């Protein structure tokens, strides 16, 4: 996006299903698991660059040997930083012990990160400081191997206060009131209870230390997850490891956050995106499966795995922003969906340029919009094919005119390129805007001044500030008659509360447009009406029942809001006419039929907590509070 936002997170899990010695013998390295996890994380680094973390568990090492290892980093390149440390640890341990480099037993007893279960996490912080304490994985420790818990996730909970209160009512004293700690402690509490339940069942039959192994073999992680997560409200894909080697990946009942897995006789692998698994393990896309909503992929101590329902699934509402922007377009399904998003915009674009293709140049910004741009060009070619056919069928064309009709192609240029070497570090606001405008380079002398239209495709327009302060001014210097900014996503009108850093109404250009239209039409009293409804619903505990803020958008059409956005982002001294074209929600669902989560566009939240958040967010806006509502 030209308006950068923080979003999502990335998860990875690897379970080696054979003895550690097997991988050393077959692949010639004791770092097989580490190398594969590194690939999984590097191929998902788009999902989080604020920090990273890994954890590793060894199964069945003797008492007195460390069996849980963890590294976290907030380095500028955190994934590289972590795995350099892992490699350094190996080199140091093998110095003087080179004869042990392929001895699995010695390695596991003497070197960290030689376990069979691996977890990785990439962090994009939607809140909280960028400190190592905020990086996953989180660790809940115990002297009982079966009570140790390591958790990481791609999630946001909307009901953290309620979950925190329940922990306190259980007698706990959580160290922090954030969803990461709350989730881990909730799962940890019920893992403790499950340990106690199994202990009571077998304590008269077996004696320690055999009883510890019996407990591990009989723990029911599905039961633990059901009891822990049944009152969670949010979007989540959580990965967890127990100290004895069992692991799980649990996905929310609406399938909001993504999780995919692959398994064969050597490994079970989980990641947030398919291409990461495809690249790291060189498997067919058809072999990679989606973890079903409301289900957990549970891998036991012995490497056996199964998908098990732990909460009742609801209507699937997978995040459509994954398809529009967040996930890598190397996934063939996502690639085709993004092309389709571009193609479906053609009727709106042609209308804005008055069908004048001869005097229109097409381009895109930023680079992530390239795939939608390809789809748009494909759509233009299809339109031209129909026009050529129509011209030929309707009458006899002279040779010169026939040549022109057959040879005409859309004018495509690379008008804008980002200068990655330039950093806008200047804090002085009066100078910073000018610096921002120079982060991009423009291609001059390809536009016919005062005659050409310029059409530029973007992934999405969130705040509109980059358009207003740099992109439109930069394009205006090329001398076009009209600038059309095309968003492959619909108008963002409502906050996200499931993992994307879009939490405040005041940030959205679509919401600002609605406010301006209300003012233009003398309908500002509607703001007070909706505010009163939201306050009453929150005070009565009924805010989960309805999104009252939708009423602010009901009086206006899609096109009216787009036109107002165009006016808001257009600098007063701009010479060119400006139009902003947004994807429609209907076409979004045509392009991405299996990912219908659209609450940021429509206000239709998939969980009750979403309605609570949107109503609170509007109250915060009306009261001038610059905080998120969850």
């Amino acid at each position: 996006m030209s308006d950068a936002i923080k979003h999502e997170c990335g998860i990875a899990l690897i379970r080696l299903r054979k003895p550690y010695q097997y991988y050393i013998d077959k692949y010639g390295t004791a770092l097989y698991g580490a190398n594969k996890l590194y690939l999984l994380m590097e191929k998902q680094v788009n999902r989080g660059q604020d920090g990273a973390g890994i954890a590793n568990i060894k199964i069945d090492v003797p008492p007195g040997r460390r069996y849980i290892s963890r590294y976290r980093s907030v380095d500028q390149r955190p994934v590289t930083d972590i795995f350099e440390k892992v490699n350094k640890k190996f080199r140091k341990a093998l110095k003087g012990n080179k004869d042990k480099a392929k001895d699995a037993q010695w390695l596991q007893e003497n070197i960290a990160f030689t376990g069979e279960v691996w977890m990785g996490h990439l962090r994009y912080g939607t809140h909280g400081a960028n400190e190592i304490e905020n990086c996953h994985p989180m660790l809940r420790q115990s002297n009982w191997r079966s009570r140790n818990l390591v958790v990481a996730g791609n999630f946001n909970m909307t009901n953290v206060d309620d979950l925190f209160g329940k922990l306190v009512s259980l007698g706990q004293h959580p160290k922090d009131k954030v969803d990461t700690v709350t989730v881990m402690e909730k799962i940890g509490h019920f893992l403790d209870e499950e340990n106690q339940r199994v202990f009571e069942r077998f304590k008269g039959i077996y004696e320690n230390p055999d009883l510890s192994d019996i407990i591990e073999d009989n723990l029911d992680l599905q039961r633990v997850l059901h009891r822990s997560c049944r009152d969670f409200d949010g979007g989540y894909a959580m990965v967890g490891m127990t100290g004895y080697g069992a692991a799980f990946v649990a996905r929310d009942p609406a399938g909001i956050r993504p999780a995919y897995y692959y398994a064969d006789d050597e490994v079970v692998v989980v990641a947030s995106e398919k291409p990461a698994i495809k690249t790291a393990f060189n498997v067919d896309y058809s072999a990679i499966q989606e973890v079903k909503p409301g289900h957990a992929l549970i891998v036991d101590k012995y490497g056996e795995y199964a998908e098990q329902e732990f909460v009742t699934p609801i209507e699937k509402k997978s995040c459509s922003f994954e398809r529009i922007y967040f996930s890598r377009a190397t996934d063939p399904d996502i690639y085709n969906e993004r092309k389709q998003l571009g193609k479906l915009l053609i009727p709106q674009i042609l209308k804005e340029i008055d069908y004048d293709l001869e005097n229109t140049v097409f381009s895109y910004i930023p680079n992530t919009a390239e795939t939608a741009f390809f789809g748009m060009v494909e759509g233009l070619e299809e339109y031209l094919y129909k026009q050529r056919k129509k011209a030929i069928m309707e009458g006899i064309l002279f040779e010169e005119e026939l040549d022109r009709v057959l040879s005409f192609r859309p004018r495509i240029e690379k008008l804008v390129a980002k200068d990655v070497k330039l950093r806008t570090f200047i804090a002085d606001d009066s100078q910073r805007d000018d610096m921002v405008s120079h982060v991009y380079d423009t291609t001059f002398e390809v536009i016919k001044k005062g005659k050409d239209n310029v059409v530029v495709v973007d992934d999405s327009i969130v705040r509109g500030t980059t358009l207003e302060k740099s992109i439109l001014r930069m394009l205006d210097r090329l001398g076009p008659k009209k600038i059309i900014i095309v968003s492959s996503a619909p108008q963002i009108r409502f906050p996200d509360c499931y993992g994307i850093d879009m939490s405040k109404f005041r940030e959205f250009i679509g919401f600002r447009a609605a406010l301006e239209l209300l003012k233009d039409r003398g309908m500002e009293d509607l703001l007070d009406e909706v505010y009163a409804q939201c306050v009453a619903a929150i005070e009565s505990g009924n805010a989960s029942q309805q999104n009252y803020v939708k009423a602010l958008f009901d009086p206006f059409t899609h096109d009216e809001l787009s036109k107002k956005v165009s006016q808001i982002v257009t600098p007063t001294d701009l010479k060119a006419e400006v139009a902003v074209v947004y994807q429609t929600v209907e076409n979004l669902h045509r392009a991405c039929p299996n990912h219908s989560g659209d609450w940021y566009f429509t206000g239709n939240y998939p969980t009750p907590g979403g309605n609570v958040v949107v109503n609170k967010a509007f109250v915060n806006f009306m009261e001038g509070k610059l905080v998120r509502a969850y």
Side-chain angles (χ1 to χ4, degrees):
M1 299 178 187
S2 53
D3 288 328
I5 59 173
K6 291 185 177 182
H7 60 88
E8 311 294 335
C9 282
I11 58 170
L13 175 76
I14 299 175
R15 170 61 159 92
L16 304 181
R17 302 185 70 197
K18 292 184 178 294
Y20 189 52
Q21 188 67 54
Y22 170 89
Y23 303 92
I24 297 173
D25 294 341
K26 181 172 180 178
Y27 297 104
T29 176
L31 289 166
Y32 174 80
N35 292 338
K36 292 298 184 182
L37 186 67
Y38 172 73
L39 275 174
L40 281 179
M41 294 178 71
E42 275 293 342
K43 292 302 178 181
Q44 296 184 103
V45 78
N46 54 296
R47 304 190 67 84
Q49 297 166 28
D50 288 341
I54 67 170
N56 179 244
I57 287 180
K58 303 173 188 176
I59 300 175
D60 285 337
V61 294
R65 303 288 184 178
R66 182 180 294 275
Y67 59 95
I68 301 178
S69 302
R70 177 178 64 156
Y71 274 153
R72 296 178 293 174
S73 175
V74 289
D75 189 78
Q76 190 171 2
R77 296 181 62 196
V79 176
T80 301
D81 179 51
I82 286 169
F83 285 94
E84 282 179 350
K85 288 178 180 176
V86 171
N87 276 277
K88 184 177 180 181
K89 186 173 283 288
F90 268 78
R91 290 194 301 271
K92 184 177 179 180
L94 289 172
K95 194 174 183 179
N97 295 289
K98 291 184 179 180
D99 59 319
K100 304 293 186 180
K102 295 190 177 182
D103 183 338
Q105 183 177 342
W106 185 89
L107 291 168
Q108 289 198 305
E109 291 183 5
N110 290 277
I111 308 180
F113 298 104
T114 53
E116 295 88 345
V117 195
W118 290 85
M119 173 192 292
H121 184 267
L122 296 135
R123 179 177 189 261
Y124 249 138
T126 55
H127 73 287
N130 192 27
E131 298 172 347
I132 202 161
E133 288 78 12
N134 291 324
C135 285
H136 300 197
M138 299 294 180
L139 176 60
R140 192 176 193 264
Q141 292 182 290
S142 169
N143 272 345
W144 293 85
R145 190 168 59 180
S146 56
R147 291 175 184 253
N148 280 282
L149 179 66
V150 191
V151 174
N154 167 16
F155 60 81
N156 264 15
M157 299 299 170
T158 68
N159 60 336
V160 175
D161 290 344
D162 291 341
L163 296 175
F164 182 85
K166 288 181 180 180
L167 285 177
V168 174
S169 71
L170 291 169
Q172 290 197 22
H173 193 94
K175 65 179 183 180
D176 208 344
K177 195 177 181 180
V178 295
D179 51 10
T180 304
V181 172
T182 305
V183 163
M184 181 179 68
E185 292 300 337
K186 191 95 182 300
I187 298 173
H189 170 81
F190 287 107
L191 180 62
D192 285 345
E193 285 204 349
E194 179 67 7
N195 269 270
Q196 191 63 33
R197 183 184 73 87
V198 178
F199 172 78
E200 295 293 340
R201 177 183 169 191
F202 290 104
K203 68 178 181 179
I205 305 172
Y206 297 94
E207 298 293 332
N208 283 323
D210 292 340
L211 183 55
S212 294
D213 293 328
I214 296 299
I215 290 173
E216 293 173 0
D217 288 344
N218 287 274
L219 286 176
D220 187 344
L221 286 182
Q222 180 186 22
R223 173 184 164 88
V224 171
L225 290 170
H226 171 69
R227 299 184 74 200
S228 308
C229 306
R230 58 190 171 186
D231 53 0
F232 286 178
D233 188 298
Y236 56 87
M238 293 183 297
V239 56
M241 303 188 300
T242 61
Y244 64 96
F248 63 83
V249 175
R251 194 175 182 206
D252 67 82
I256 295 170
R257 298 272 69 87
Y260 300 92
Y261 74 96
Y262 164 78
D264 59 25
D265 61 345
E266 290 187 358
V267 293
V268 178
V269 188
V270 180
S272 296
E273 297 187 26
K274 284 185 180 181
I277 299 175
K278 164 71 175 173
T279 300
F281 291 88
N282 191 30
V283 297
D284 291 338
Y285 272 103
S286 60
I288 302 170
Q289 301 181 59
E290 185 176 7
V291 177
K292 292 191 288 287
H295 287 65
L297 180 71
I298 298 175
V299 189
D300 68 18
K301 178 179 178 179
Y302 303 100
E304 299 302 316
Y305 66 94
E307 271 192 276
Q308 299 179 25
E309 182 179 310
F310 68 98
V311 290
T312 303
I314 58 177
E315 184 181 0
K316 189 179 180 188
K317 290 289 183 180
S318 300
C319 175
S320 58
F321 252 127
E322 288 282 353
R323 322 303 282 185
I324 296 166
Y325 172 72
F326 295 146
S327 293
R328 283 179 181 258
T330 47
D331 182 314
D333 292 334
I334 292 176
Y335 182 79
N336 289 324
E337 288 167 10
R338 290 183 186 172
K339 285 184 70 177
Q340 186 70 1
L341 285 169
K343 186 181 293 188
L344 290 170
L345 285 159
I346 291 301
Q348 293 169 266
I349 294 170
L350 290 172
K351 184 179 177 182
E352 282 296 340
I353 64 173
D354 198 22
Y355 298 87
D356 183 8
L357 288 174
E358 287 191 25
N359 296 304
T360 301
V361 173
F362 297 89
S363 192
Y364 61 91
I365 181 173
N367 288 342
T368 49
E370 185 178 31
T371 308
F373 173 76
F374 287 157
M376 181 189 69
V377 172
E378 209 170 273
L380 287 170
E381 293 285 4
E382 289 179 7
Y383 168 78
L384 286 169
Y385 168 78
K386 292 175 183 176
Q387 292 303 111
R388 293 184 192 108
K389 184 176 179 180
K390 181 181 177 183
I392 293 169
M393 295 290 289
E394 287 183 351
I396 299 172
L397 298 174
F398 292 108
E399 184 176 350
E400 183 180 333
E401 190 175 354
L402 181 62
D403 284 344
R404 187 184 66 82
V405 169
L406 293 177
S407 65
F408 182 80
R409 292 289 182 273
R411 294 169 60 196
I412 299 165
E413 303 288 354
K414 179 76 171 178
L415 292 180
V416 179
K418 194 166 187 177
D419 187 346
V420 296
K421 300 182 293 297
L422 193 61
R423 298 285 184 266
T424 54
F425 56 86
I426 295 178
D428 182 1
D429 289 342
S430 64
Q431 297 295 312
R432 192 175 187 280
D433 287 349
D434 181 61
M435 285 294 291
V436 167
S437 69
H438 294 293
V439 168
Y440 297 95
D441 288 332
T442 49
T443 306
F444 291 95
E445 308 305 326
V446 295
I447 301 298
K448 292 178 284 186
K449 291 182 170 56
K451 191 173 182 180
D452 278 345
N453 304 305
V454 168
V455 175
V456 177
V457 179
D458 196 349
D459 304 287
S460 180
I461 303 166
V462 184
R463 293 179 283 268
T465 49
T466 309
L467 275 180
E468 182 181 1
K469 294 183 180 298
S470 64
I471 292 174
L472 286 173
R473 292 184 181 278
M474 178 180 55
L475 292 172
D476 194 50
R477 295 191 196 113
L478 302 177
K481 177 181 69 175
K482 186 175 183 179
I483 301 169
I484 299 98
I485 303 295
V486 182
S487 169
S488 68
Q491 300 156 352
I492 297 171
R493 302 180 179 185
F494 301 95
D496 183 77
C497 53
Y498 302 120
I500 306 172
D501 187 20
M502 301 190 304
S503 59
K504 305 178 189 72
F505 271 109
R506 61 188 293 272
E507 297 175 341
F508 308 137
I509 187 68
F511 179 71
R512 288 168 57 197
L515 294 181
E516 290 290 325
L517 286 170
L518 289 170
K519 183 179 178 181
D520 292 347
R521 300 185 187 183
M523 299 172 64
E524 290 174 287
D525 288 349
L526 187 58
L527 291 168
D528 295 323
E529 291 176 25
V530 172
Y531 172 68
Q533 289 175 322
C534 291
V535 170
I538 292 167
E539 290 178 349
S540 65
N542 294 318
S544 64
Q545 302 301 310
Q546 182 179 339
N547 174 1
Y548 294 99
V549 189
K550 290 167 80 171
L552 298 178
F553 293 91
D554 288 344
F556 314 118
T557 67
H558 172 93
D559 290 343
E560 286 171 338
L561 282 161
S562 295
K563 186 175 180 181
K564 181 55 71 173
V565 168
S566 305
Q567 295 172 6
I568 292 172
V569 299
T570 303
T572 55
D573 58 345
L574 211 72
K575 297 183 180 69
E577 180 187 351
V578 173
V580 176
V581 172
Y582 281 98
Q583 185 71 263
T584 65
V585 173
E586 293 75 20
N587 279 344
L588 169 68
H589 292 318
R590 284 178 62 192
C592 310
N594 298 318
H595 290 73
S596 59
D598 61 4
W599 51 92
Y600 14 68
F601 309 129
T602 65
N604 298 327
Y605 289 87
T607 73
N611 287 334
V612 175
V613 168
V614 70
N615 292 325
K616 283 184 178 179
F618 183 67
V619 170
N620 288 344
F621 168 77
M622 292 294 286
E623 295 177 356
K625 296 177 181 176
L626 304 179
V627 295
R628 70 177 196 166
Y630 58 95

